[in-house]
């Protein structure tokens, strides 16, 4: 079955960067886009960006312009999201989510990676 | 783009039906049939329940249905069950994705 397994929890200091991984299995990695979504404590979902797993092309939400980098290693079917210049406002659970069969929905999702930014 | 507007909370008794609204604009919800709905239980990842306004993924109960009128999409859950208690989020795709603020469903 299609599965996305993310890396473990991270604790970072303000100003640092974090890199979250998302290993895909059960499908051809390069056939689908990968999205990144975050959720701050007690808050709603926030879309961060998507990456074309075949070409490596990306598009991100304007809010993260200049701070987010999405990459992939097709040899190990793994997508990565790196967020730089962290502040306490970046404390959240970060999810990877594959485009669904229709191409405009997110299905399935990874289990989430908690990131805490604290001095 | 601004977040889509959802009611903060809705509630219903077991067996009843409830509807959650999701209001956007002609640039997102009203302009495309790319509205999705996600269910999220506490501490869990979201799960796709409806896509392209009214399509159910394989494995999702037919108690869940979606519709759209103008700039407002709706999720209806019929025959409410205790396990339906969760947060529900709508989203709209327009080359980027915007989410609604989420609705907490309480089954009384």
């Amino acid at each position: 079955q299609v599965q996305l397994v993310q890396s473990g929890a991270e604790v970072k200091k303000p100003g640092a960067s974090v890199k979250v991984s998302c290993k895909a299995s059960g499908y051809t990695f390069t056939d689908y886009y990968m999205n990144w979504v975050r959720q701050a404590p007690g808050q709603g979902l926030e879309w961060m960006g998507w990456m074309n797993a075949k070409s490596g092309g990306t598009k991100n939400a304007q809010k993260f312009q200049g701070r987010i980098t999405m990459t992939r290693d097709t040899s190990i079917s793994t997508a990565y999201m790196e967020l730089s210049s962290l502040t306490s406002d970046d404390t959240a659970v970060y999810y990877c989510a594959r485009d669904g069969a229709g191409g405009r929905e997110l299905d399935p999702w990874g289990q989430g990676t908690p990131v805490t930014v604290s001095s | 783009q601004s977040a889509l507007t959802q009611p903060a909370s809705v509630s219903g008794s077991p067996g009843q039906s409830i509807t959650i609204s999701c209001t956007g604009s002609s640039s997102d919800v009203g302009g495309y049939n790319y509205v999705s709905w996600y269910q999220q239980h506490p501490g869990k990842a979201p799960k796709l329940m409806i896509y392209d306004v009214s399509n159910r993924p394989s494995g999702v109960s037919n108690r869940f249905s979606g519709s759209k009128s103008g700039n407002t999409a709706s999720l209806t859950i019929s025959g409410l069950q205790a396990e339906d208690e969760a947060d529900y989020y709508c989203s709209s795709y327009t080359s980027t994705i915007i989410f609604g603020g989420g609705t907490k469903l309480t089954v009384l």
Side-chain angles (χ1 to χ4, degrees), chain A residues 4-116:
Chain A
L4 303 176
V5 177
Q6 299 183 223
S7 49
E10 302 265 11
V11 179
K12 295 293 183 180
K13 293 194 182 303
S17 297
V18 68
K19 190 171 186 177
V20 179
S21 68
C22 172
K23 183 169 177 59
S25 61
Y27 72 98
T28 301
F29 179 71
T30 51
D31 281 353
Y32 292 85
Y33 283 45
M34 190 69 76
N35 294 260
W36 292 90
V37 177
R38 76 177 186 180
Q39 186 171 36
Q43 303 300 308
L45 303 173
E46 180 176 32
W47 179 78
M48 301 178 70
W50 56 244
M51 179 188 65
N52 180 329
K54 188 170 196 174
S55 68
T58 63
K59 186 177 183 72
N60 55 264
Q62 186 65 29
K63 175 177 181 177
F64 301 102
Q65 192 67 31
R67 283 212 300 145
I68 188 171
T69 304
M70 291 173 284
T71 57
R72 88 283 191 225
D73 184 338
T74 58
S75 68
I76 56 172
S77 300
T78 299
Y80 302 92
M81 187 285 298
E82 184 170 20
L83 190 64
S84 63
S85 303
L86 294 171
T87 72
S88 57
D89 289 341
D90 295 314
T91 293
V93 176
Y94 289 76
Y95 294 99
C96 60
R98 197 199 73 174
D99 266 8
R104 293 167 181 86
E105 68 281 2
L106 305 180
D107 181 45
W109 295 59
Q111 84 276 19
T113 295
V115 175
T116 301

Side-chain angles (χ1 to χ4, degrees), chain B:
Chain B
Q1 286 176 305
S2 301
L4 307 177
T5 300
Q6 299 180 231
S9 63
V10 299
S11 63
S13 299
Q16 288 185 330
S17 294
I18 63 95
T19 296
I20 300 171
S21 62
C22 171
T23 301
S25 70
S26 58
S27 298
D28 38 64
V29 173
Y32 307 87
N33 288 326
Y34 300 142
V35 175
S36 301
W37 289 91
Y38 301 89
Q39 176 192 65
Q40 186 180 34
H41 288 109
K44 300 294 186 182
K47 174 187 174 184
L48 177 68
M49 304 302 284
I50 296 287
Y51 68 97
D52 291 352
V53 175
S54 60
N55 293 320
R56 265 189 319 275
S58 173
V60 172
S61 171
N62 59 10
R63 298 186 299 105
F64 292 82
S65 62
S67 62
K68 190 184 82 167
S69 178
N71 296 338
T72 298
S74 298
L75 172 72
T76 298
I77 308 174
S78 60
L80 267 181
Q81 299 180 0
E83 68 206 47
D84 299 332
E85 185 163 293
D87 293 327
Y88 291 84
Y89 294 90
C90 63
S91 76
S92 178
Y93 172 90
T94 60
S95 82
T96 62
I97 293 174
I98 52 173
F99 286 101
T103 299
K104 182 176 181 59
L105 169 62
T106 300
V107 179
L108 302 170

